[in-house]
Amino acid sequence: MVPNLYPALGGEAAEGAGGPAGAAGSAEAGAFASSGDPLLASRRAGEPDLFSSRPATGAHEVVIHSPRHVTAMAELDDAELEAAVATWRERMRAHPDASYQQLIVNEGGGAGASLEHSHAQLYALPFVPAEVARERERAGAYAERTAGSGLLSDVLVEEVRRRERLVAIDEEAALICPWASRSPFELRVVPRRETASFEDDTAGAAMIRTAMRVLAERFGGPPELNLWVRTAPRGAEPFHWHVDIAPRLTIKAGFELATAIDINIYPPERAAADLKECLPG
């Protein structure tokens, strides 16, 4: 018998729980016939709503990468990829009043893509997501502690010096497997010149193309993946935009979901070494 965890404070339901048989039917059905307040809801009337919500606002756009039918960015030629990234920036500049703009690319059903044709999605949001706000706070705290140094700029200098996780570098940007990568073969495109907003810069398209092509070479074809642009929230300084690329090679299991701690079975140093071998000679 399952105990009644919220007994009524009087009336027929109380009698049914241990009183006259006439109320037994109501008790067995789990009904309450009482003016009591078993959950003390009335005492919470002045407290915040535990289940608050608000209408969805903002904007959502889909950016088609090519008139040709291609299913992955790795299949775009140089001119198509350059035009695609330029269009990302153009559409982001079209929403200057958004608190934050999130541009993403999902490739493959396992990465959440609902369309086969290669495309990006842009979300113009009226708020700053918590993860983005935390990154901005870390960048600001680092700048204060180091008399104005950029966190990601300093990380990039050290990655280039060590070369353990550096995959490629050109005049505009570098491609690295980040320290403590969350998943195998995770990549990050970092511009060499610190710029807060992705949409206000022109660098990085060539390195995004390199990232897509070395992944396709390493895995014998474009893997399912997610790409996202991390740009500055509106009016935020300091910040250093970057592009993250996460191939979908593993599945988050119970430990990762329960703890928000990621387990990466393939060290980023090894991934970088593998990808460097896939660079064109």
Side-chain angles (χ1 to χ4, degrees), residues 87-163:
T87 304
W88 297 353
R89 288 178 158 128
E90 177 186 335
R91 294 315 307 155
M92 292 173 77
R93 290 193 297 270
H95 301 279
D97 295 330
S99 296
Y100 186 71
Q101 297 191 64
Q102 184 60 71
L103 187 133
I104 65 167
V105 175
N106 301 328
E107 291 191 353
S114 56
L115 300 175
E116 187 180 66
H117 194 97
S118 180
H119 67 285
Q121 296 179 69
L122 174 63
Y123 298 83
L125 304 175
F127 61 92
V128 179
E131 183 70 16
V132 179
R134 281 193 290 268
E135 182 169 332
R136 179 196 174 194
E137 290 169 1
R138 287 194 296 269
Y142 184 84
E144 290 183 8
R145 190 167 64 250
T146 58
S149 294
L151 174 56
L152 194 52
S153 293
D154 285 358
V155 167
L156 181 56
V157 168
E158 190 65 13
E159 291 286 17
V160 172
R161 185 184 71 83
R162 297 190 181 200
R163 307 191 76 84

Side-chain angles (χ1 to χ4, degrees), residues 177-198:
C177 292
W179 166 256
S181 295
R182 292 161 291 188
S183 58
F185 291 90
E186 181 179 343
L187 289 168
R188 176 166 292 170
V189 175
V190 184
R192 297 178 65 175
R193 178 174 58 89
E194 181 173 330
T195 304
S197 299
F198 175 80

Side-chain angles (χ1 to χ4, degrees), residues 160-264:
V160 172
R161 185 184 71 83
R162 297 190 181 200
R163 307 191 76 84
E164 297 173 312
R165 291 173 293 275
L166 179 68
V167 177
I169 188 167
D170 63 18
E171 294 181 355
E172 295 183 344
L175 180 65
I176 63 174
C177 292
W179 166 256
S181 295
R182 292 161 291 188
S183 58
F185 291 90
E186 181 179 343
L187 289 168
R188 176 166 292 170
V189 175
V190 184
R192 297 178 65 175
R193 178 174 58 89
E194 181 173 330
T195 304
S197 299
F198 175 80
E199 60 270 30
D200 294 333
D201 205 352
T202 58
M207 197 54 70
I208 294 172
R209 181 172 65 249
T210 296
M212 294 299 179
R213 290 180 179 175
V214 295
L215 286 173
E217 178 68 20
R218 173 60 177 79
F219 295 105
E224 296 187 325
L225 59 82
N226 299 106
L227 175 151
W228 61 96
V229 173
R230 182 59 54 84
T231 188
R234 186 181 62 193
E237 294 285 351
F239 205 83
H240 195 153
W241 72 259
H242 53 91
V243 175
D244 287 353
I245 303 164
R248 287 298 192 98
L249 304 174
T250 58
I251 298 174
K252 289 188 177 184
F255 179 81
E256 294 92 333
L257 295 173
T259 64
I261 298 172
D262 293 305
I263 297 176
N264 184 358

